[in-house]
Amino acid sequence: MYESIISSFQIPGRLLSAERFGAGLINDTILCEYSADGEVRKYILQRINGQVFLHPGQVMQNVELVTGHIQDRMRQEGIADPESLTPALIWTRSGGSCHVDQGGGHWRMFHFIESGEVFDRVRDGNHAYEVGRALGRFQALVADLSPEKLHDTLPGFHETPRYLAELDRAVKTHGEHASAVGPELAFVAVRRSLADSLLDPLRSAAIPLRVVHNDPKVNNILISKVTGKALCMVDLDTVKPGIVHFDFGDCVRSAANPAGEDAEDLNSVAFETGWYEALTRGYLEEAKFLTTAEIELLPLSVRVITFELGIRFLCDHVQGDTYFRTRYPGHNLHRARVQFRLLEKMEEALNK
Ligand code: GN1
Ligand code: MG
């Protein structure tokens, strides 16, 4: 069913297969296998979720800029084939970075990074350290890219107070779902002040706006199958101007909970301080550009993003599951409970 879309990209050889791939909650991802010169080559085809990203063309301009910039930086470092180590686009036959189908869907194709693998959960302290390094290296590679060059493709994406306001509205308009989530709403109510705690320093210019990833959870980080070391960050649609804190916090939130985002048993949710420390060490080794003010706010970011994502899942549940892909009714509520339990564990561990 994807043949006509796939054929609009400049790929040598014959298409062997096209199958759904990965665990992303937003875009559709398809792994394509080609046979060329007696070899099987893989590519990643993705349809940008047009309900989340209202201007997919701008998303692609950002992706072009960032992937091109990172590849240039890697070539300057002496790496001859950056496309085997970092996301690199395949151009369409008309020379563009995406194909627009008859329904207006935007599709793009990437080289598949054969030597890398992704994990939904961190395995050990060393993996956590490498996850931190991947994020620090990514941010360092784009640190010389001016944020004004990128479109704000998701306005307000990490404005935590906006999600609080959305939840308040959802509770009013969807009373039928809201009545069943009293304990979760009470949990949120006593933590509302967290929502502005990272935006205030940005507003007062105590911390700078930079080019950041915005969605660096564990399964958006490739680890080398050969060395076990960090390879790169993938899923670059959310890359846009922002602060480093939501990146760092999101990375820790997803990495330092061994039970994962979908933990079946809430009692298995934990905050592994050893993994948090290892991740922080790896991150700081690579993110040499950070100011002292930025470094001081890193521990706070861990709680803020966990709070934010919990609110987003809860709000989606109350609204009837319109945003995140779900597998069963109540999935988003369960996800929110996992994040809130994790936040409690963080509060205990960080004495907050
Ligand atoms: C979504 O697309 P994916 O699955 O990498 C979401 C993130 C959430 C994450 C939670 C654009 O990321 O913000 O943290 O799910 N991305 C978007 O798993 O909303
Ligand atoms: Mg992803």
Side-chain angles (χ1 to χ4, degrees), residues 24-26 157 215 217 220 235 238 261 309 312 323-324:
L25 302 188
I26 304 294
F157 187 51
D215 184 15
K217 63 179 183 181
N220 285 334
D235 212 352
T238 50
E261 220 169 77
L309 185 61
R312 291 176 66 197
Y323 187 90
F324 295 103

Side-chain angles (χ1 to χ4, degrees), residues 3-316:
E3 276 84 354
S4 69
I5 296 157
I6 294 172
S7 65
S8 61
F9 290 90
Q10 297 178 34
I11 302 180
R14 184 172 58 89
L15 181 67
L16 296 176
S17 63
E19 307 277 338
R20 280 194 84 96
F21 182 77
L25 302 188
I26 304 294
N27 292 328
D28 294 322
T29 304
I30 292 112
L31 177 67
C32 304
E33 289 193 325
Y34 268 74
S35 148
D37 304 329
E39 272 182 54
V40 175
R41 299 222 182 94
K42 294 179 184 166
Y43 302 87
I44 286 288
L45 174 70
Q46 269 187 325
R47 191 177 73 90
I48 301 177
N49 182 327
Q51 278 172 340
V52 170
F53 296 100
L54 299 181
H55 304 287
Q58 293 188 353
V59 170
M60 288 314 297
Q61 285 178 12
N62 283 0
V63 170
E64 275 180 52
L65 181 68
V66 169
T67 53
H69 183 82
I70 292 178
Q71 289 171 62
D72 288 346
R73 289 276 310 262
M74 290 172 84
R75 281 191 201 94
Q76 283 159 18
E77 288 178 7
I79 296 169
D81 58 342
E83 66 281 355
S84 69
L85 301 171
T86 187
L89 288 162
I90 303 280
W91 304 102
T92 63
R93 297 195 183 279
S94 51
S97 60
C98 67
H99 166 79
V100 183
D101 66 23
Q102 284 172 344
H106 283 60
W107 298 82
R108 72 308 178 55
M109 188 80 90
F110 289 100
H111 287 269
F112 183 73
I113 303 173
E114 294 271 357
S115 60
E117 56 186 332
V118 292
F119 299 87
D120 284 328
R121 300 186 220 173
V122 159
R123 289 160 303 168
D124 53 30
N126 191 51
H127 186 185
Y129 168 76
E130 290 300 331
V131 160
R133 278 192 54 238
L135 177 62
R137 170 143 167 91
F138 174 84
Q139 289 183 346
L141 282 167
V142 293
D144 58 337
L145 198 54
S146 160
E148 293 91 65
K149 287 193 175 159
L150 280 94
H151 300 284
D152 189 352
T153 44
L154 288 171
F157 187 51
H158 283 309
E159 276 172 30
T160 320
R162 191 177 70 85
Y163 292 113
L164 267 183
E166 212 177 307
L167 177 64
D168 292 343
R169 269 196 307 276
V171 166
K172 282 203 190 102
T173 38
H174 299 272
E176 73 285 6
H177 290 160
S179 54
V181 295
E184 286 73 25
L185 294 176
F187 182 95
V188 171
V190 294
R191 289 168 177 81
R192 289 182 80 98
S193 64
L194 262 184
D196 272 305
S197 59
L198 289 172
L199 297 180
D200 285 342
L202 175 66
R203 289 182 195 118
S204 68
I207 54 173
L209 201 63
R210 298 186 185 275
V211 175
V212 292
H213 186 285
N214 283 307
D215 184 15
K217 63 179 183 181
V218 168
N219 67 14
N220 285 334
I221 292 172
L222 282 196
I223 300 290
S224 165
K225 284 180 196 164
V226 185
T227 61
K229 292 196 170 298
L231 213 49
C232 64
M233 313 272 320
V234 296
D235 212 352
L236 304 180
D237 297 327
T238 50
V239 176
K240 69 181 191 90
I243 53 176
V244 293
H245 301 85
F246 289 106
D247 272 9
F248 177 78
D250 200 52
C251 208
V252 171
R253 160 196 84 67
S254 66
N257 168 18
E261 220 169 77
D262 249 337
E264 269 178 38
D265 175 7
L266 277 184
N267 291 324
S268 65
V269 174
F271 182 61
E272 277 289 340
T273 48
W275 293 5
Y276 167 47
E277 283 157 17
L279 190 156
T280 306
R281 199 157 30 84
Y283 175 68
L284 292 176
E285 277 174 25
E286 297 287 337
K288 296 288 185 213
F289 58 87
L290 294 174
T291 65
T292 312
E294 285 178 299
I295 294 173
E296 280 170 1
L297 283 170
L298 291 177
L300 173 63
S301 72
V302 172
R303 288 184 292 131
V304 177
I305 192 83
T306 308
F307 184 52
E308 179 184 289
L309 185 61
I311 293 171
R312 291 176 66 197
F313 283 142
L314 181 61
C315 185
D316 201 23

